Amino acid sequence: MNKTILTTCPYCGVGCGITATADEQTRHVNIAGDKAHPANFGRLCSKGSALAETLELKGRLLQPHILGQPASWEQALDWVADAFANVIRQHGADAVAIYGSGQLLTEDYYVANKLMKGFIGSGNMDTNSRLCMSSSVAGHKRAFGSDTVPGCYADFELANMIVLIGSNAAWCHPVSFQRIRAAKEARPELKVVVIDPRRTTTCDIADLHLPLAAGSDTALFNGLLGFLTSQQALNQDYIDQHTEGFTEAVGCAMHTAKPSVSAIEQVAGQCHLSQEDVLRFYQWFASTEKVMSLYSQGVNQSTSGTDKVNAIINCHLATGRIGKPGMGPFSLTGQPNAMGGREVGGLSHQLAAHIDFSNEEDINRVARFWGSARIAKTPGLAAVDLFDAIYDGKVKAVWIMGTNPVVSLPNADKVKQALQRCPFVVVSDCIADTDTTALAQVLLPAQGWSEKDGTVTNSERCISRQRRVFSPAGNAKPDWWIITQVAQRMGFDQAFLYQHPVEIFREHAALSGFENNGRRDFDISAFADISATDYDQLLPIQWPVNHIYPQGKARFFEDGKFFTPSGKAQFIAITVRPPANAPDAEYPLILNTGRLRDQWHTMTRTAIAAKLNQHKPEPFVEVHPIDAKNYHLAQNDLAVIKSRWGMIIARVQVTDNQKSGNLFVPMHWTEQYASNGRMGALVNPAVDPVSKQPESKHTPVHISAYQPAWYGFILSRRELDISAPEYWVKIKGEQFYRYELAGENQPEDWQDWVRTRLAVDTQTQWQEYQDKSLGNYRCTQLIGNRLESVVFIAEHKNLPERSWLTSLFAKDELEAQERRALLTGMPPLGVADVGTIVCACFNVGEKTISNAITEKGLKTHQEVGQCLKAGTNCGSCVPEIKALL
Ligand SMILES: Nc1nc2c(c(=O)[nH]1)N[C@H]1C(S)=C(S)[C@@H](COP(=O)(O)OP(=O)(O)OC[C@H]3O[C@@H](n4cnc5c(=O)[nH]c(N)nc54)[C@H](O)[C@@H]3O)O[C@H]1N2
Ligand SMILES: Nc1nc2c(c(=O)[nH]1)N[C@H]1C(S)=C(S)[C@@H](COP(=O)(O)OP(=O)(O)OC[C@H]3O[C@@H](n4cnc5c(=O)[nH]c(N)nc54)[C@H](O)[C@@H]3O)O[C@H]1N2
Ligand code: SF4
Ligand SMILES: [Mo]
């Protein structure tokens, strides 16, 4: 029996609606974009489209575990409750902590926060949103008095200019990016400016790309505020009536170090940009009324992150471009429920429902609402400080839910040690083996996407339902249930007696309206009595949702009224500061980190879908050609990257998309998929002084060639246990696993080495080739005519391309000429190799596209799409197709 369910994508903050048609018996589901959902109108990106392939039970955590042994829920919950209660009894409430995630549902998040802040009585609930949105939260708070995103997605289409600052939306918010691309195709006069040290795929639609010096955004936007002032491009009425602090902000912005240097010249010098480019951007901004400034981690993840946010907002306030159609600052949220986490107060300095710890009256308000006599009175520890406190033994019990801090926190080796030292670590996850679950005493199996039920809020404040599609896997339970069971066992039963997520949602809604009277932006009190049926059928809706706006509201601040004590928006005077750690002789390069199109964070789910591993299969480091030359690195070499905090090994990609002096490493690889790819180990733990958000995009590092004695790869139909070589990467493909290898020592006997690693079956037929003088070893293993595995080893890195060999795993029988060609690693004459996969949705390779372009004379990406389908689903690969054209 097939049933169709409307739900929401579990990945990025775009928050796309999904239509899932599921067969419970086979656990098979068809995924399509929900045409009626206001976030995507039917579009999905490669990750959303591949969801069905990530739901297999293999690798799932399906049973609670205590000290590595399967346990019952009763035992595990008792264990957690007792451990927490004991630590609190002996060392006080601040000796325990919860570290949560923007991937929890609002209902899960609400009860976790209520437990820690309301009933355990400590502020020590923080979340991975600290690494993600906290600078935006702090910037909003300073400017508006509230953490409000003023605009909505429709504004992207109404704008005449879109500035993307520190955002690679083409890969990270692909569906929003497709909307912008479509708007630009319909109205080519819509200007797009991208501000990013790297030339990213997002620049594909840019009229202007400003490759500014890493960390120099405050100088650029201070300069813009000065320019708007000197060019009389201000909205003086707006400034006078609706804002405060303009004079100080402009004073700071127009401060020039040397009077002889013009303002533009100074900015160009500080940002390493040409004066023409700076001036062009400033003139366009000054002369375009409908400007949207979209920003993400290039802004937030910085020791000036909060200042960057306010420097951008200052320019919108100075021109009165906020709260009106097609204009405004817009923080693109990262995780599916980054916004919901802020609503419930998931950050350690927040209390609940956009109420923080700043005054006694507010704290009492929440205490009264919760009926708690032990509410926390002061903020708790923020993520980096929290893990330092664990390392130092001050926090003795931590519960990690829905996040993988051993990978994603800065100075990640120290985080690993902190958890190794911590007397009690409990982890709730849906995946069994992660770098963080490996360090837990107690593992709690959480229901994953397709099983869990609740709400999430996207970048434009739109609340959507995630709905259950399948019955729960194994013994997995919803996060809210796990948390409330522990709360009840800790003696807080009356406050945690929920039977269904709707009861939690109602309470959350009621708290948002409690003694609010228009003082707080977040108000969804219209849902305080929502029935179970209405909750089940809830359609996407943008908050606030209350008696004044029962249907929700697209924009805030239309009336120029803000949530500050004076009701006026605040300009913030910004002093330009350099990043915390500057490059020096020992660590001369700047390491930037970020995301890839087809992977989600620490790959626990996306790496299960073979098609998502084809675009960028291996951890890599992008190096500018000049740096490659200086550091003796060639394309596809392996390189060691070291910082004061740690090291990794990655494959060199030489590209002038990178600025010289800067390296880029994707954030995704973990110890589950690579020997030395966990990049968090490198990242410096410096944080923004206001938001406490880490500076994940700026660490001084050193790079050098890694010179192993041998290189190799194995392709195997079965998953293998590859230990021993110094460098390995595991890549799941369609019907095969690929292992990229390199080692410092040649084994005595390659045949022996290989046979102990490959599953040797009596039926297998081996072909082997070895040239000891050249250090070459190759072998293939077949069962009947079906390919089982191939191994290629050499002293150099120039091994055959993997694409043809991997394509053979799709066949049940090899043809004679294919068998003969196997050991050469090259397709027999007349057989085409598809090349690296470009379009993940339709599995179309680079060589197929290039050949079609030459043979059929294709001119546009649309023609390529008509011919091969490539680029016609999610469109994320269109820039790459254009590059091939
Ligand atoms: N495919 C995919 N999409 C995702 C995610 C994912 O894991 N995979 N994660 C989601 C999450 S949680 C988040 S937070 C978002 C993040 O979305 P983005 O912020 O767009 O992604 P990043 O790649 O982290 O960083 C964006 C850009 O900031 C640039 N940058 C670095 N330093 C500076 C600087 O000093 N100034 C400026 N202006 N730019 C700089 C980087 O070069 C990079 O291109 O993506 C979400 N979407
Ligand atoms: N150097 C560097 N570091 C970064 C960043 C960067 O750009 N550079 N970006 C930062 C940002 S913006 C972010 S958001 C973080 C992300 O970093 P993390 O949050 O550490 O990464 P994820 O892989 O998303 O971890 C989510 C975990 O939750 C599990 N999970 C999935 N669904 C559920 C569920 O329903 N319940 C439970 N209990 N578990 C579930 C997943 O299996 C996975 O183990 O990384 C941050 N770290
Ligand atoms: S853009 Fe992609 S990852 Fe983000 S919500 Fe939509 S389908 Fe999911
Ligand atoms: Mo994020």
Side-chain angles (χ1 to χ4, degrees):
M1 248 286 280
N2 284 349
K3 52 185 176 172
T4 296
I5 286 161
L6 296 181
T7 181
T8 311
C9 177
Y11 296 122
C12 86
V14 175
C16 296
I18 282 180
T19 312
T21 310
D23 182 355
E24 176 71 45
Q25 223 92 61
T26 59
R27 272 183 96 80
H28 183 81
V29 61
N30 275 326
I31 300 286
D34 175 357
K35 294 202 166 61
H37 198 289
N40 58 318
F41 298 109
R43 294 180 181 95
L44 291 178
C45 78
S46 53
K47 294 179 296 305
S49 305
L51 268 167
E53 287 163 51
T54 63
L55 305 178
E56 65 181 35
L57 297 186
K58 181 170 173 269
R60 280 287 300 274
L61 180 63
L62 296 173
Q63 185 67 32
H65 282 71
I66 300 176
L67 303 174
Q69 298 304 314
S72 70
W73 271 110
E74 287 298 311
Q75 290 166 322
L77 295 166
D78 284 345
W79 189 293
V80 175
D82 287 350
F84 266 63
N86 283 336
V87 172
I88 295 165
R89 201 173 312 117
Q90 288 175 42
H91 306 281
D94 289 332
V96 300
I98 294 179
Y99 184 58
S101 164
Q103 292 164 73
L104 296 171
L105 302 176
T106 299
E107 293 76 2
D108 305 328
Y109 230 139
Y110 177 88
V111 288
N113 187 60
K114 179 179 177 184
L115 170 61
M116 183 53 68
K117 291 175 188 158
F119 288 83
I120 290 177
S122 166
N124 285 347
M125 155 108 201
D126 207 44
T127 131
N128 64 359
S129 280
R130 183 68 64 186
L131 321 177
C132 180
M133 303 317 306
S134 61
S135 295
S136 280
V137 173
H140 290 158
K141 213 39 200 162
R142 289 205 299 195
F144 311 142
S146 58
D147 174 21
T148 320
V149 172
C152 58
Y153 292 155
D155 288 331
F156 302 174
E157 280 133 4
L158 297 170
N160 292 323
M161 171 161 163
I162 291 181
V163 189
L164 290 133
I165 311 138
S167 156
N168 185 10
W171 284 4
C172 299
H173 297 93
V175 165
S176 295
F177 183 77
Q178 296 308 321
R179 282 178 76 162
I180 299 171
R181 178 197 287 284
K184 183 152 175 70
E185 280 170 5
R187 282 190 299 124
E189 66 278 15
L190 163 63
K191 287 198 175 62
V192 176
V193 179
V194 174
I195 301 175
D196 190 315
R198 294 192 300 154
R199 185 163 65 234
T200 61
T201 313
T202 301
C203 298
D204 188 46
I205 59 164
D207 299 284
L208 177 65
H209 169 219
L210 299 178
L212 82 178
S216 66
D217 306 69
T218 49
L220 185 67
F221 281 88
N222 257 3
L224 176 57
L225 183 62
F227 181 84
L228 296 169
T229 309
S230 64
Q231 299 296 305
Q232 284 144 16
L234 303 170
N235 184 336
Q236 200 60 52
D237 280 352
Y238 193 89
I239 296 173
D240 294 342
Q241 287 174 36
H242 303 299
T243 72
E244 289 171 343
F246 176 72
T247 315
E248 296 79 353
V250 166
C252 240
M254 294 183 83
H255 170 81
T256 40
K258 279 193 243 139
S260 59
V261 174
S262 81
I264 298 285
E265 209 178 332
Q266 172 170 297
V267 170
Q270 284 172 309
C271 302
H272 302 181
L273 295 169
S274 74
Q275 290 187 46
E276 297 75 56
D277 281 355
V278 172
L279 191 60
R280 185 172 314 153
F281 168 51
Y282 286 3
Q283 283 169 340
W284 284 356
F285 193 102
S287 60
T288 314
E289 182 66 5
K290 290 188 171 175
V291 182
M292 292 291 291
S293 299
L294 276 42
Y295 51 91
S296 192
Q297 299 315 338
V299 168
N300 292 338
Q301 289 173 341
S302 156
T303 44
S304 320
T306 312
D307 282 352
K308 288 186 185 186
V309 169
N310 287 111
I312 296 166
I313 294 175
N314 281 348
C315 297
H316 280 270
L317 292 176
T319 47
R321 295 174 191 157
I322 186 164
K324 296 173 206 140
M327 58 185 89
F330 194 100
S331 147
L332 294 165
T333 55
Q335 299 176 88
N337 202 25
M339 189 70 91
R342 287 141 74 173
E343 292 160 11
V344 303
L347 291 158
S348 62
H349 64 281
Q350 302 173 325
L351 185 48
H354 284 208
I355 299 171
D356 57 26
F357 293 99
S358 49
N359 69 70
E360 192 70 23
E361 209 186 320
D362 275 344
I363 299 173
N364 286 338
R365 203 184 316 281
V366 182
R368 270 186 286 118
F369 182 85
W370 278 340
S372 168
R374 17 185 337 154
I375 197 160
K377 296 281 164 52
T378 49
L381 296 167
V384 172
D385 292 340
L386 172 61
F387 280 82
D388 279 345
I390 295 171
Y391 183 92
D392 294 336
K394 290 178 195 139
V395 168
K396 298 172 194 298
V398 61
W399 187 353
I400 296 164
M401 25 182 113
T403 177
N404 197 355
V406 175
V407 183
S408 56
L409 270 173
N411 198 1
D413 284 345
K414 186 177 177 190
V415 170
K416 190 173 177 180
Q417 288 161 19
L419 292 180
Q420 282 161 344
R421 289 171 172 213
C422 184
F424 187 69
V425 179
V426 45
V427 177
S428 304
D429 207 294
C430 37
I431 300 296
D433 294 319
T434 77
D435 293 2
T436 301
T437 58
L439 303 175
Q441 277 97 347
V442 176
L443 282 177
L444 303 174
Q447 290 176 4
W449 185 84
S450 79
E451 295 153 26
K452 57 186 192 174
D453 223 342
T455 55
V456 290
T457 311
N458 73 8
S459 294
E460 60 162 0
R461 291 174 277 104
C462 182
I463 300 172
S464 290
R465 283 293 316 273
Q466 256 192 39
R467 292 187 177 88
R468 172 171 285 182
V469 178
F470 294 122
S471 56
N475 250 325
K477 296 283 187 191
D479 286 292
W480 67 264
W481 182 89
I482 305 173
I483 297 156
T484 55
Q485 286 297 315
V486 169
Q488 291 181 23
R489 283 169 169 75
M490 290 181 75
F492 311 128
D493 31 331
Q494 288 315 308
F496 292 90
L497 288 174
Y498 314 99
Q499 300 295 318
H500 187 280
V502 68
E503 296 165 15
I504 307 173
F505 185 72
R506 275 186 210 127
E507 184 179 310
H508 167 59
L511 175 55
S512 75
F514 185 63
E515 299 176 4
N516 184 330
N517 305 321
R519 275 188 305 230
R520 305 192 301 269
D521 61 338
F522 177 65
D523 182 352
I524 55 165
S525 50
F527 294 130
D529 302 308
I530 189 170
S531 70
T533 319
D534 287 350
Y535 178 77
D536 260 0
Q537 295 169 358
L538 186 70
L539 294 173
I541 187 164
Q542 272 177 292
W543 62 256
V545 192
N546 53 21
H547 67 283
I548 308 172
Y549 304 106
Q551 301 308 318
K553 189 162 176 271
R555 295 181 192 86
F556 267 91
F557 311 139
E558 301 99 320
D559 54 359
K561 291 208 180 70
F562 295 85
F563 293 93
T564 51
S566 63
K568 295 188 173 186
Q570 303 295 305
F571 280 95
I572 305 294
I574 305 296
T575 308
V576 174
R577 285 178 287 120
N581 291 293
D584 55 22
E586 206 178 336
Y587 298 101
L589 301 169
I590 298 166
L591 177 78
N592 176 11
T593 58
R595 290 159 172 77
L596 300 178
R597 191 188 80 191
D598 291 351
Q599 293 296 348
W600 177 260
H601 296 161
T602 69
M603 298 179 25
T604 62
R605 289 167 289 162
T606 39
I608 297 172
K611 64 160 71 140
L612 296 180
N613 298 326
Q614 309 310 310
H615 183 233
K616 305 277 178 189
E618 217 181 336
F620 62 86
V621 52
E622 284 183 357
V623 188
H624 186 271
I626 293 176
D627 296 323
K629 190 155 170 278
N630 286 345
Y631 295 92
H632 312 291
L633 301 166
Q635 181 72 0
N636 291 331
D637 273 358
L638 289 172
V640 178
I641 304 140
K642 279 192 183 141
S643 75
R644 277 200 176 84
W645 296 271
M647 70 84 85
I648 65 162
I649 300 177
R651 192 74 68 178
V652 171
Q653 301 291 301
V654 180
T655 165
D656 62 4
N657 289 338
Q658 201 55 250
K659 264 173 114 73
S660 83
N662 289 233
L663 304 177
F664 176 82
V665 168
M667 68 171 290
H668 305 292
W669 274 271
T670 69
E671 288 175 11
Q672 311 301 315
Y673 289 99
S675 55
N676 296 284
R678 195 166 48 87
M679 61 79 230
L682 287 171
V683 177
N684 73 131
V687 300
D688 179 273
V690 185
S691 69
K692 307 266 172 73
Q693 179 154 354
E695 186 146 69
S696 315
K697 304 251 183 279
H698 196 286
T699 302
V701 293
H702 176 271
I703 190 166
S704 57
Y706 176 64
Q707 280 156 332
W710 59 272
Y711 297 82
F713 67 86
I714 299 177
L715 304 173
S716 163
R717 198 172 285 281
R718 280 179 260 182
E719 194 170 358
L720 306 175
D721 183 8
I722 298 293
S723 47
E726 279 72 15
Y727 177 83
W728 60 263
V729 177
K730 171 170 132 185
I731 305 145
K732 186 180 173 193
E734 303 285 356
Q735 306 190 50
F736 66 89
Y737 288 85
R738 168 175 160 197
Y739 299 87
E740 290 295 329
L741 311 168
E744 286 166 25
N745 301 299
Q746 292 263 7
E748 294 263 310
D749 181 353
W750 273 113
Q751 197 174 56
D752 217 44
W753 190 93
V754 163
R755 293 201 181 202
T756 54
R757 276 164 186 81
L758 297 190
V760 183
D761 192 302
T762 45
Q763 297 167 29
T764 56
Q765 307 147 40
W766 293 79
Q767 288 186 64
E768 263 179 327
Y769 160 85
Q770 185 159 25
D771 183 337
K772 285 202 173 149
S773 62
L774 290 172
N776 281 348
Y777 175 86
R778 297 174 175 195
C779 76
T780 67
Q781 195 192 13
L782 284 92
I783 296 179
N785 256 335
R786 192 164 180 250
L787 184 58
E788 200 46 38
S789 57
V790 297
V791 181
F792 281 76
I793 309 283
E795 283 176 358
H796 52 80
K797 62 175 199 263
N798 301 322
L799 294 157
E801 281 200 46
R802 323 307 187 241
S803 45
W804 175 68
L805 286 168
T806 57
S807 72
L808 301 178
F809 285 86
K811 302 191 160 189
D812 279 338
E813 302 244 325
L814 295 191
E815 287 162 31
Q817 54 163 354
E818 289 169 335
R819 288 180 68 143
R820 280 196 299 274
L822 271 180
L823 277 180
T824 69
M826 304 233 254
L829 231 58
V831 176
D833 176 9
V834 297
T836 317
I837 297 300
V838 170
C839 170
C841 298
F842 295 115
N843 221 21
V844 189
E846 187 182 322
K847 289 191 181 159
T848 312
I849 298 173
S850 296
N851 290 342
I853 291 171
T854 12
E855 282 161 21
K856 306 211 168 110
L858 307 178
K859 298 263 167 350
T860 62
H861 73 87
Q862 287 91 345
E863 286 175 11
V864 172
Q866 275 158 14
C867 181
L868 301 168
K869 287 175 95 177
T872 55
N873 181 41
C874 76
S876 331
C877 63
V878 165
E880 275 156 277
I881 296 173
K882 285 169 80 176
L884 292 172
L885 283 161

